[in-house]
Amino acid sequence: MKSLFYASLFLMLSTQAFADNVLPVKPEPIEGDTITRVADIEEIVVVATPKENARLRQQTLSSSSFSNAEIRARGVTSIKSFSTQVPNLYIPTYGSKLTTSTYIRGIGSRINTPAVGLYVDNIPYLNKNAFDFNFAEIDRVDVLRGPQGTLYGRNTMGGLIRVYTKSPFDYQGTDLQLSAATHNAFKGSITHYHRISDKFAFSGGFYFDHQGGFFKNVAKNNEHVDHGNEYGGRIRAILLPSDNTKLDFNINYEYLKQGAYPYRYMGSTTPTTGDRVTYYDQVAYNRDGDYKRHLLNTGLNVEHQANHFIFNSVTGFQFVKDNMNMDQDYTPEDIFTLNQKQNSKTLSQEFVFKSKPESRWEWTTGLSGFYQWLKTDAPVVFRQDGIKSLIEDHVNDVFIRLRQQNERMPEMSLDVTDSQINISGDFDTPTANFAIYHQSTINDLGVKGLSLTLGARMEYEKIWLDYSSAGPMTFDFNMPMLERMPQMAAVAAQLKGMQINPAFTGKLNDDNWEFLPKAALKYDFNARNNIYFSATKGYRSGGYNFQMFSDLIQSKMSADMTAAINEKSNGMMSQMGGEAFAERTVDYDVEGTVSFKPERSWNFELGTHLTSADGSLLADMAVFLINTTNQQLAQFASSGLGRITVNAGKSRSYGAELSLRWQATQSLSFTGNYGYTYATFRTDAPLTTTSASSGNVSLKGKYVPFVPKHTFMLGGQYVYAMPAGNFVDNIILNTDFRGTGRIYWDVQNKYSQKFYGTLNARLAFQHKGSELALWANNIFNKDYDAFFFESMSKLFRQRGTPVQLGVDLRLRF
């Protein structure tokens, strides 16, 4: 019996994997065709791809595609929902919609520049704070794994996600969707698609999303900490002024306001220092945490079909204005908070020329560029508990140690008289980028079916930083010995109410050229089966860590306090305290402290796309090796004041991917995918951590954080066609089991999430274009960590989303 179970499990694994390139159910524009069959999605859902000459499964890369029907069946509501539904893709859900940490094949990013690119209707989304947007009206999603730098450039070294919205030429009528779920969740959308003529069609819609929240803050009357509201709308218009020209315009706006950061305290790494936190494994902090965002995207795609080539012009504009408030100690103590406001405007333009498809010489040539205006206001505020523990206690501990070393040292102490200390941070970081690229494929190269692809991209990028940061403070320096001496009363009085204002103001800039080549060989056994080998280079741009200015201010604060004390006491303190009060001249290397370098990688891949003779089974397989230099890692600054990006030498990632889809019968299909990634550091480059006990860490041989070793999904779909004359046309049952792990959370590999899985199901009743569906996510309420980190010698976790039940209603008019 046990052997039968394992045989069945293997059969399921063999089925859902490469599923990502086919449909269990043919997508229905309006009619709702539900005949089950295996097919390449691109045979059914046709979208405009300005840069490629062939369908994804005919290209030399590993990819997954999802139709609108499959997106609904899998319960996809955002990009994060694709995590583990694609081999080696991991996007944890934690923090807020500001945070979209996307990892593919061991390459990823938690903060600053992304390592996986995102395009929506061919418009690039350059910042991760715009990645987690509303998925209303989405028609298709492609996930390309491995570097896509030759055609797409910066920040696609892990891969690329392409999202396409519904075309008003393909869909007609009005689509109303409503959803309700446990945990007080409600959402809905209404969109009208109208084709006025064969030359012009448009669509317009509105959507909203209310989330009651899963987690409560026990330190604030059990308020839900992760509640949220989102509103928005989208307009799209397509004009065909002639038989060979198309103009495609779209605009989307959404407003978001959500609670955020349901982090739970899990203990201290230094319990002997005293642990004053009352609540354990509960969300408990005293200051509000929330995230607000205005997101506007607009784009114009122009396509012209000439006699021998196709020309595309893609113009995009994105505006993002957001505001993050964070209780950065995540405890009931009033230590410090962060308020980060960003205002970003990005104008992008790309011109692409490519050959007509299915020619012996297929080529693509393009010019692209963008300019981004980005202003950031990120003040850190030290509250009462923070002033005491991080400033007063730190300085007074130094005085105590001095007295222990020298009995003649007089008693001294420091009292900060400000009720709070504001460390301001105003940063202007515009970025300019320009690139030129070309890629050619020669088909039937000496042998029928053999093709060679060569490509290269030359990209230039420059970033500026105009910074201003200051932290004024008022303090008393207490010396009882002076206060007891009448002749020294004047000196003692001068040591009260002293003021300092450590500040940094200046400008920096950096630029670099990147050469991104690609080479690939492919052999087509026939039109639906091939094998390929590719070598590609990718890179992720460098930048500046704003949070490091808080560390610089703290360092300068110490030097300025010493100088102020000596000045007021006419140098007496230097004579009495020796080196402890000797004035220091510190050369602050601002550029070296706040900047991080670009990350680069080479990806070597051997893969195949296979289809059975009868078309009932599709399979995609790949093995890969990735060598990365100047690995970018996210960690907390040494002071604990925010996360920063640091370069940590070299890493190597290798692994395999398998995806399959099997059409067992006319009504029954199975899908499955599996990804394996082994990502470790290759160098001994030391990395300073925030743990007081760890010091510097040798990284060689350690696993790269946030990279699951295994990702897989097993699923199936059964379509029951009701007899004619019934009100219900079809009953469709979808089930899947999604698993991932082990995931290491830190560079020392001390903390990890072991392998876990969640079971999900959806039962849908269809009538023509309408549908009623009941669904359940994480049916067995599996407890797992979506995020785990250490800050200021304290451990925190965010629990994964618990079980949720819901109902969806879709009406087509």
Side-chain angles (χ1 to χ4, degrees), residues 110-353:
R110 279 173 52 198
I111 62 172
N112 289 325
T113 54
V116 176
L118 173 66
Y119 277 62
V120 180
D121 287 333
N122 302 315
I123 306 299
Y125 282 32
L126 300 179
N127 292 345
K128 293 198 285 74
N129 62 345
F131 276 26
D132 192 356
F133 64 95
N134 192 284
F135 252 43
E137 304 177 46
I138 301 303
D139 192 38
R140 171 177 156 182
V141 176
D142 299 332
V143 181
L144 285 59
R145 299 185 289 279
Q148 306 300 318
T150 303
L151 291 182
Y152 292 92
R154 71 195 294 271
N155 302 343
T156 61
M157 62 181 296
L160 176 70
I161 300 175
R162 303 188 308 201
V163 179
Y164 301 95
T165 59
K166 294 178 180 178
S167 167
F169 270 104
D170 298 333
Y171 291 81
Q172 290 298 291
T174 301
D175 188 340
L176 172 65
Q177 299 186 55
L178 300 172
S179 179
T182 54
H183 299 281
N184 194 27
F186 305 94
K187 64 180 180 179
S189 67
I190 183 168
T191 307
H192 180 70
Y193 304 88
H194 193 76
R195 182 168 56 195
I196 295 178
S197 67
D198 292 338
K199 298 293 186 180
F200 182 72
F202 73 93
S203 63
F206 169 80
Y207 52 82
F208 73 92
D209 189 345
H210 169 77
Q211 298 295 325
F214 296 98
F215 308 109
K216 296 180 179 180
N217 187 344
V218 298
K220 296 200 71 176
N221 300 317
N222 283 320
E223 298 175 356
H224 279 98
V225 70
D226 56 333
H227 60 86
N229 290 288
E230 185 177 62
Y231 309 90
R234 179 180 284 111
I235 296 174
R236 185 175 182 183
I238 301 177
L239 174 66
L240 306 176
S242 65
D243 292 340
N244 58 356
T245 303
K246 179 175 73 171
L247 283 71
D248 188 345
F249 171 80
N250 63 78
I251 183 170
N252 175 59
Y253 169 78
E254 64 180 58
Y255 172 72
L256 165 74
K257 181 179 181 181
Q258 66 170 156
Y261 318 109
Y263 301 148
R264 299 167 174 235
Y265 173 72
M266 300 302 295
S268 174
T269 60
T270 56
T272 56
T273 61
D275 189 354
R276 295 182 289 170
V277 178
T278 305
Y279 303 99
Y280 182 82
D281 198 12
Q282 297 182 82
V283 180
Y285 48 82
N286 62 302
R287 297 278 179 173
D288 288 331
D290 57 55
Y291 178 63
K292 294 182 282 291
R293 182 185 68 190
H294 296 269
L295 175 60
L296 173 69
N297 294 285
T298 183
L300 175 64
N301 287 258
V302 179
E303 178 180 304
H304 178 74
Q305 299 264 355
N307 291 332
H308 302 292
F309 66 89
I310 302 172
F311 168 74
N312 283 274
S313 170
V314 183
T315 306
F317 178 77
Q318 182 178 82
F319 170 72
V320 185
K321 182 179 180 181
D322 63 2
N323 187 346
M324 176 190 69
N325 287 291
M326 181 184 290
D327 184 338
Q328 208 162 352
D329 56 271
Y330 317 114
T331 70
E333 297 180 84
D334 209 15
I335 298 179
F336 60 101
T337 58
L338 171 66
N339 173 226
Q340 176 179 286
K341 299 178 182 178
Q342 289 189 318
N343 188 312
S344 170
K345 294 179 284 291
T346 305
L347 179 64
S348 62
Q349 177 63 56
E350 188 158 16
F351 300 107
V352 185
F353 299 84

Side-chain angles (χ1 to χ4, degrees), residues 396-448:
N396 291 330
D397 285 346
V398 173
F399 293 158
I400 292 173
R401 288 196 300 272
L402 288 174
R403 291 199 68 197
Q404 291 173 343
Q405 297 169 6
N406 183 358
E407 295 181 356
R408 300 180 59 186
M409 181 69 67
E411 182 181 354
M412 297 169 289
S413 65
L414 178 80
D415 290 328
V416 176
T417 58
D418 297 303
S419 59
Q420 63 182 40
I421 297 176
N422 300 294
I423 298 181
S424 64
D426 295 308
F427 310 103
D428 188 3
T429 52
T431 303
N433 178 283
F434 171 79
I436 182 171
Y437 58 89
H438 177 83
Q439 180 171 295
S440 283
T441 299
I442 305 297
N443 296 309
D444 298 329
L445 187 66
V447 178
K448 184 175 176 57

Side-chain angles (χ1 to χ4, degrees), residues 719-732:
V719 179
Y720 179 69
M722 297 289 287
N726 285 277
F727 181 75
V728 174
D729 298 329
N730 300 284
I731 300 176
I732 303 177

Side-chain angles (χ1 to χ4, degrees), residues 507-702:
K507 297 182 179 182
L508 299 172
N509 68 83
D510 192 16
D511 65 346
N512 68 281
W513 286 91
E514 291 292 337
F515 179 65
L516 303 172
K518 175 182 180 178
L521 275 173
K522 183 180 66 137
Y523 179 73
D524 292 317
F525 301 104
N526 52 47
R528 303 183 72 182
N529 296 274
N530 58 63
I531 187 171
Y532 67 89
F533 175 78
S534 66
T536 54
K537 183 184 178 183
Y539 94 103
R540 176 156 47 129
S541 56
Y544 298 105
N545 291 301
F546 303 146
Q547 295 89 338
M548 286 304 298
F549 280 95
S550 296
D551 284 46
L552 288 169
I553 290 294
Q554 274 196 302
S555 176
K556 196 169 189 302
M557 193 177 286
S558 176
D560 288 358
M561 283 192 295
T562 300
I565 292 171
N566 275 330
E567 179 184 357
K568 294 295 184 180
S569 61
N570 296 320
M572 184 184 67
M573 294 298 109
S574 294
Q575 299 174 18
M576 298 181 62
E579 290 297 324
F581 284 91
E583 291 199 39
R584 297 172 294 162
T585 301
V586 183
D587 182 16
Y588 296 97
D589 181 11
V590 175
E591 184 171 13
T593 302
V594 304
S595 63
F596 57 93
K597 301 176 182 177
E599 177 181 353
R600 301 174 178 90
S601 72
W602 272 99
N603 181 91
F604 304 93
E605 181 174 335
L606 176 65
T608 183
H609 306 293
L610 302 173
T611 305
S612 63
D614 63 356
S616 64
L617 178 66
L618 270 69
D620 298 299
M621 293 171 280
V623 293
F624 61 87
L625 170 67
I626 303 175
N627 290 320
T628 304
T629 58
N630 280 334
Q631 174 94 43
Q632 293 180 11
L633 282 181
Q635 68 168 47
F636 274 92
S638 58
S639 64
L641 301 179
R643 299 174 181 88
I644 60 173
T645 296
V646 297
N647 295 105
K650 300 178 180 180
S651 70
R652 171 172 290 167
S653 174
Y654 62 84
E657 296 164 353
L658 169 66
S659 292
L660 301 170
R661 184 178 294 270
W662 177 42
Q663 191 69 56
T665 69
Q666 178 74 7
S667 300
L668 180 65
S669 63
F670 295 98
T671 56
N673 66 58
Y674 172 73
Y676 173 77
T677 299
Y678 189 87
T680 56
F681 294 103
R682 298 172 56 202
T683 58
D684 281 315
L687 183 66
T688 302
T689 70
T690 59
S691 173
S693 60
S694 60
N696 290 337
V697 179
S698 176
L699 298 183
K700 189 173 184 179
K702 302 289 187 182

